């Protein structure tokens, strides 16, 4: 967290330095503005200043506007620009002189609800195997058809309908199994929100494949299960790399038949695979 102090006015502002220091509301504001940059609505400089003003509550009054017209605000404009550049520069990664890429890397689901529909837990912790594979399939189709905006958004709506579902009469999220997908409910959801959730889901997959994780209180690393180099996320398909292994699990009957295996939590499948892999390594 960055701290910005103005001793003469006895003001102290806390400005997040990464996504995990933000509230849901702050993430929504930042990302909505970030997509305005990506769509060419505002410049990167305007974006930084917009985010800086949001976190500091900076308001430019009538006196500033008059001085601006007279060309007398150079010093304060430079100060605002440099502060915003210094403190709000973590949101995008600079690729080259004129190109930036949104750096949305967090396992936290900051969009837990879309209207009356409820999304996954952080790092996809509550997804079953079938739910995960179905969502991944729709997401890959979205990437495949990204050049065709209408088809791409259709697959994106199906992806959303897979992982966002309403609650039942006992206030529990409706199970994916036996649920009829309702992609039409997400047609009115702003496209930038659906794209952000796709980016978040992709990053969670990347973390499951590559990062040290805490699952059920255990520190584990699943990278040994996925020896292939990682695919880039956000702009191409995601290959989780173990479709064949899933079929073997179903055939082995460890979690029951194919239907029962599909209803098993993804994390339970991953932990089983890891234990199997470690046991086989010990026997060599």
């Amino acid at each position: 967290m960055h701290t910005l102090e103005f001793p003469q006015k006895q003001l102290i502002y806390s400005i997040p330095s990464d996504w995990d220091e933000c509230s849901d509301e702050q993430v929504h504001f930042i990302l909505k503005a970030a997509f305005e940059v990506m769509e060419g609505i505002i410049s990167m400089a305007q974006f930084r200043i917009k985010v800086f003003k949001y976190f500091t509550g900076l308001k430019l009054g009538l006196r500033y506007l008059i001085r601006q017209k007279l060309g007398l605000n150079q010093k304060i404009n430079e100060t605002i620009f440099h502060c915003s550049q210094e403190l709000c520069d973590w949101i995008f990664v600079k690729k080259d002189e004129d190109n930036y890429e949104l750096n949305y890397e967090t396992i936290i689901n900051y969009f837990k609800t879309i209207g009356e529909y409820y999304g996954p837990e952080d790092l996809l912790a509550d997804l079953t195997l079938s739910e995960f594979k179905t969502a991944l399939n729709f997401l890959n189709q979205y990437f495949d058809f990204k050049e065709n905006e209408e088809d791409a958004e259709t697959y994106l709506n199906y992806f959303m309908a897979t992982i966002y579902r309403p609650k039942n009469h006992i206030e529990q999220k409706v199970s994916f199994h036996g649920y009829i997908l309702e992609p039409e409910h997400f047609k009115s959801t702003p496209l930038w929100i659906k794209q952000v959730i796709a980016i978040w889901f992709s990053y969670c997959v990347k973390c499951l494949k590559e990062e040290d994780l805490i699952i059920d209180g255990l520190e584990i690393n699943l990278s040994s299960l996925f020896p292939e180099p990682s695919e880039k996320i956000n702009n191409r398909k995601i290959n989780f790399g173990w479709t064949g292994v899933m079929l073997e699990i179903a055939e082995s009957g460890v979690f029951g038949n194919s239907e029962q295996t599909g209803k098993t939590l993804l994390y339970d499948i991953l932990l089983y695979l890891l234990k199997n892999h470690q046991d086989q390594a010990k026997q060599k």
Side-chain angles (χ1 to χ4, degrees):
M1 190 75 75
H2 296 301
T3 301
L4 188 63
E5 297 187 38
F6 297 93
Q8 68 276 20
K9 293 189 176 182
Q10 297 184 324
L11 294 174
I12 300 177
Y13 296 106
S14 294
I15 300 178
S17 57
D18 63 44
W19 298 107
D20 294 349
E21 294 176 348
C22 295
S23 66
D24 289 6
E25 180 184 327
Q26 290 170 341
V27 169
H28 297 177
F29 179 88
I30 294 170
L31 288 171
K32 185 176 181 181
F35 271 77
E36 290 177 352
V37 175
M38 294 159 67
E39 292 167 5
I41 298 172
I42 61 176
S43 68
M44 183 60 68
Q46 289 172 320
F47 165 77
R48 290 177 183 140
I49 292 172
K50 186 174 185 175
V51 172
F52 179 74
K53 288 169 64 178
Y54 171 76
F55 282 115
T56 59
L58 176 66
K59 294 181 180 179
L60 304 175
L62 181 60
R63 184 168 179 269
Y64 172 87
L65 296 175
I66 293 172
R67 289 176 59 85
Q68 182 74 0
K69 286 188 176 181
L70 296 173
L72 302 175
N73 283 336
Q74 184 176 352
K75 186 174 180 181
I76 188 171
N77 285 344
E78 286 179 355
T79 300
I80 293 171
F81 177 81
H82 288 305
C83 283
S84 66
Q85 185 176 38
E86 183 72 24
L87 300 176
C88 305
D89 206 34
W90 53 272
I91 301 163
F92 281 90
V93 173
K94 190 172 185 179
K95 290 300 183 181
D96 52 49
E97 192 61 33
D98 298 313
N99 292 313
Y100 292 83
E101 184 177 285
L102 179 63
N103 184 37
Y104 188 55
E105 296 188 347
T106 178
I107 63 171
I108 299 172
N109 183 6
Y110 284 105
F111 295 83
K112 294 177 176 63
T113 59
I114 305 291
E116 298 180 353
Y117 291 76
Y118 295 78
E121 293 181 8
D122 299 343
L123 196 59
L124 315 178
D126 60 340
L127 264 59
T128 64
L129 175 61
S130 287
E131 184 179 358
F132 173 78
K133 289 182 67 179
T134 302
L136 198 60
N137 180 53
F138 284 131
L139 192 56
N140 281 335
Q141 288 177 300
Y142 161 68
F143 289 134
D144 276 342
F145 286 87
K146 215 167 182 184
E147 299 303 316
N148 184 321
E149 293 183 6
E150 186 175 344
D151 286 347
E153 188 163 5
T154 295
Y155 286 119
L156 200 53
N157 289 338
Y158 271 96
F159 162 73
M160 293 290 296
T162 301
I163 59 176
Y164 279 81
R165 300 185 301 280
K167 286 188 175 180
N168 57 24
H169 64 285
I170 57 173
E171 288 299 300
Q172 292 182 342
K173 184 178 176 182
V174 172
S175 171
F176 170 73
H177 306 279
Y179 175 72
I180 299 175
L181 299 185
E182 301 176 306
E184 64 276 4
H185 286 289
F186 297 94
K187 287 183 178 179
S188 60
T189 304
L191 180 58
W192 70 268
I193 291 179
K194 293 182 284 194
Q195 290 175 329
V196 162
I197 293 169
I199 293 171
W200 167 76
F201 190 98
S202 301
Y203 181 70
C204 287
V205 173
K206 178 178 180 291
C207 287
L208 288 172
K209 290 180 67 174
E210 299 177 2
E211 304 296 331
D212 293 330
L213 307 170
I214 303 294
I215 297 180
D216 293 339
L218 300 173
E219 183 174 337
I220 63 172
N221 188 301
L222 301 167
S223 59
S224 59
L225 299 176
F226 315 107
E228 297 176 359
S230 301
E231 298 284 355
K232 290 183 180 179
I233 64 173
N234 301 346
N235 60 354
R236 63 167 62 184
K237 292 201 297 184
I238 310 160
N239 179 10
F240 209 52
W242 43 260
T243 301
V245 178
M246 294 301 99
L247 294 174
E248 289 180 20
I249 291 177
E251 290 173 1
S252 71
V254 174
F255 296 102
N257 59 26
S258 179
E259 182 181 354
Q260 293 167 325
T261 300
K263 293 179 179 179
T264 304
L265 285 174
L266 173 66
Y267 278 23
D268 290 343
I269 297 286
L270 292 174
L271 290 173
Y272 169 79
L273 288 172
L274 181 64
K275 185 178 184 306
N276 252 17
H277 181 83
Q278 292 171 338
D279 289 346
Q280 289 173 8
K282 290 177 183 178
Q283 293 171 7
K284 290 181 179 178

